[in-house]
Amino acid sequence: MWAMAYKLVEGGGRQAGTLPQGSGCRSHQLEEAALRILTPIDVWEAPSVRRTITTVDEASNWLIYRWPEAHLNDPARQAATAACLAALDGSGEVEDARAAFITAAETAHILAD
């Protein structure tokens, strides 16, 4: 069994790699972290399309792959990306990732009420 691992790369993105399960490389923690549940956060995917983010993995994917282009370099987005990836690898807290995501979404004007 293989687990997906991510590391931050320059520019606020992430680089994927795989770790064999049982290799002593925290793969079990990564699998558990991918399932970490957030109190739901609603964001606007498009002007009339609302999306609910419910896991740290979804939040990190939004920050990295779906974030509004005009706000890719926002410090709030970069901080939220780092917080989410830290929560995924077990070095950060889920609620810190959620709070950072909300701040970034407010900055990007995509947080739904």
Side-chain angles (χ1 to χ4, degrees):
M1 181 86 162
W2 294 83
M4 188 61 75
Y6 299 99
K7 68 178 183 176
L8 284 175
V9 293
E10 189 173 328
R14 68 180 182 175
Q15 180 177 356
T18 55
L19 300 171
Q21 189 167 10
S23 66
C25 295
R26 296 171 51 154
S27 63
H28 180 69
Q29 288 176 334
L30 289 171
E31 288 177 15
E32 287 179 10
L35 299 175
R36 292 187 182 194
I37 305 298
L38 294 174
T39 302
I41 306 165
D42 289 334
V43 294
W44 293 110
E45 184 171 356
S48 62
V49 180
R50 190 179 190 128
R51 176 76 58 186
T52 301
I53 307 298
T54 60
T55 67
V56 174
D57 190 53
E58 283 180 310
S60 65
N61 281 319
W62 257 82
L63 288 158
I64 295 166
Y65 301 114
R66 304 186 59 83
W67 210 251
E69 191 171 324
H71 296 278
L72 288 176
N73 293 319
D74 287 349
R77 177 195 167 262
Q78 293 172 353
T81 301
C84 285
L85 294 177
L88 284 172
D89 76 10
S91 66
E93 297 296 322
V94 171
E95 285 307 312
D96 293 341
R98 182 180 188 278
F101 184 89
I102 289 171
T103 299
E106 288 172 337
T107 302
H109 310 289
I110 63 168
L111 186 65
D113 296 330

